Amino acid sequence: MKLKTLIMTTALLPMASFADTKITIDVNGLVCDFCAQAVEKVFVEENGAHHAKVDLDNGVVELCFADGIEIMSDERLTQEMTDAGYTATAIRKETGECNETH
Protein backbone atom coordinates (compact mmCIF):
# COMPACT_ATOMS: atom_id res chain seq x y z
CA MET A 1 0.00 0.00 0.00
CA LYS A 2 2.83 2.42 0.86
CA LEU A 3 4.57 1.70 -2.44
CA LYS A 4 1.37 2.44 -4.35
CA THR A 5 0.96 5.75 -2.50
CA LEU A 6 4.58 6.69 -3.17
CA ILE A 7 4.24 5.90 -6.88
CA MET A 8 1.02 7.93 -7.18
CA THR A 9 2.53 10.88 -5.29
CA THR A 10 5.66 10.85 -7.45
CA ALA A 11 3.56 10.69 -10.61
CA LEU A 12 1.55 13.74 -9.55
CA LEU A 13 4.56 15.94 -8.72
CA PRO A 14 5.12 17.13 -12.31
CA MET A 15 1.51 18.35 -12.35
CA ALA A 16 1.97 20.47 -9.21
CA SER A 17 1.88 24.20 -9.77
CA PHE A 18 4.88 26.13 -8.52
CA ALA A 19 5.03 29.90 -8.64
CA ASP A 20 8.09 32.10 -8.96
CA THR A 21 8.44 35.34 -7.06
CA LYS A 22 9.11 38.32 -9.29
CA ILE A 23 10.72 41.34 -7.66
CA THR A 24 10.87 44.66 -9.48
CA ILE A 25 13.20 47.33 -8.10
CA ASP A 26 13.27 50.93 -9.30
CA VAL A 27 16.91 52.06 -9.11
CA ASN A 28 18.77 55.34 -9.48
CA GLY A 29 22.30 55.30 -10.87
CA LEU A 30 22.12 52.52 -13.47
CA VAL A 31 23.69 53.99 -16.58
CA CYS A 32 25.75 51.40 -18.47
CA ASP A 33 26.07 47.74 -19.39
CA PHE A 34 28.77 47.34 -16.74
CA CYS A 35 26.21 48.50 -14.14
CA ALA A 36 23.73 45.92 -15.41
CA GLN A 37 26.29 43.11 -15.29
CA ALA A 38 27.32 44.04 -11.74
CA VAL A 39 23.71 44.02 -10.52
CA GLU A 40 22.97 40.73 -12.26
CA LYS A 41 26.03 39.16 -10.61
CA VAL A 42 25.00 40.39 -7.16
CA PHE A 43 21.56 38.83 -7.37
CA VAL A 44 22.07 35.73 -9.53
CA GLU A 45 25.47 34.49 -8.44
CA GLU A 46 25.42 35.68 -4.83
CA ASN A 47 21.77 35.74 -3.76
CA GLY A 48 20.03 32.88 -5.55
CA ALA A 49 17.88 34.61 -8.15
CA HIS A 50 17.49 32.35 -11.18
CA HIS A 51 17.03 35.35 -13.45
CA ALA A 52 17.90 39.06 -13.40
CA LYS A 53 17.01 41.60 -16.05
CA VAL A 54 18.21 45.21 -15.94
CA ASP A 55 16.40 47.88 -17.95
CA LEU A 56 18.87 50.76 -18.15
CA ASP A 57 16.47 53.06 -20.00
CA ASN A 58 13.88 52.91 -17.22
CA GLY A 59 16.16 52.24 -14.23
CA VAL A 60 14.43 48.98 -13.35
CA VAL A 61 15.84 45.68 -12.11
CA GLU A 62 13.63 42.59 -12.42
CA LEU A 63 14.57 39.54 -10.37
CA CYS A 64 13.01 36.10 -10.37
CA PHE A 65 13.32 33.63 -7.53
CA ALA A 66 12.13 30.05 -7.95
CA ASP A 67 9.47 28.66 -5.65
CA GLY A 68 11.09 27.42 -2.48
CA ILE A 69 13.96 29.93 -2.51
CA GLU A 70 13.98 32.26 0.49
CA ILE A 71 12.94 35.69 -0.73
CA MET A 72 15.06 38.59 0.43
CA SER A 73 13.44 41.26 2.60
CA ASP A 74 12.99 44.76 1.19
CA GLU A 75 15.66 45.96 3.60
CA ARG A 76 18.14 43.37 2.33
CA LEU A 77 17.31 44.13 -1.32
CA THR A 78 17.85 47.83 -0.64
CA GLN A 79 21.15 47.12 1.15
CA GLU A 80 22.40 44.91 -1.71
CA MET A 81 21.65 47.73 -4.17
CA THR A 82 23.36 50.28 -1.90
CA ASP A 83 26.40 48.01 -1.52
CA ALA A 84 26.56 47.74 -5.33
CA GLY A 85 26.58 51.56 -5.56
CA TYR A 86 22.97 52.26 -6.52
CA THR A 87 19.85 53.60 -4.80
CA ALA A 88 16.67 51.52 -4.69
CA THR A 89 13.66 53.85 -4.76
CA ALA A 90 10.80 51.32 -4.87
CA ILE A 91 10.39 47.55 -4.53
CA ARG A 92 7.43 45.50 -5.77
CA LYS A 93 6.95 41.76 -5.24
CA GLU A 94 4.48 39.50 -6.99
CA THR A 95 3.93 35.79 -7.33
CA GLY A 96 3.57 34.18 -10.73
CA GLU A 97 5.56 33.10 -13.74
CA CYS A 98 8.60 35.20 -14.56
CA ASN A 99 9.28 36.26 -18.11
CA GLU A 100 12.95 35.46 -18.69
CA THR A 101 13.45 37.10 -22.07
CA HIS A 102 15.99 39.89 -22.36
Side-chain angles (χ1 to χ4, degrees):
M1 183 68 160
K2 289 182 183 179
L3 180 59
K4 183 177 179 181
T5 302
L6 178 62
I7 292 169
M8 289 178 63
T9 302
T10 305
L12 292 175
L13 279 176
M15 291 186 260
S17 175
F18 297 100
D20 293 334
T21 297
K22 176 181 168 184
I23 300 174
T24 305
I25 308 171
D26 296 334
V27 181
N28 288 335
L30 293 170
V31 295
C32 66
D33 287 334
F34 180 74
C35 299
Q37 291 172 3
V39 168
E40 289 172 2
K41 180 179 180 182
V42 165
F43 289 105
V44 174
E45 294 180 16
E46 299 173 14
N47 288 295
H50 68 79
H51 170 73
K53 177 182 173 188
V54 178
D55 180 344
L56 294 173
D57 293 332
N58 295 306
V60 175
V61 175
E62 181 182 290
L63 308 170
C64 292
F65 290 86
D67 183 54
I69 299 294
E70 183 178 343
I71 304 305
M72 300 165 68
S73 67
D74 289 359
E75 293 79 19
R76 175 121 181 260
L77 289 163
T78 299
Q79 188 60 51
E80 289 290 341
M81 292 304 298
T82 300
D83 291 349
Y86 311 104
T87 303
T89 59
I91 298 172
R92 295 174 298 285
K93 296 178 181 176
E94 60 187 275
T95 302
E97 190 173 323
C98 290
N99 180 0
E100 296 187 21
T101 59
H102 285 279

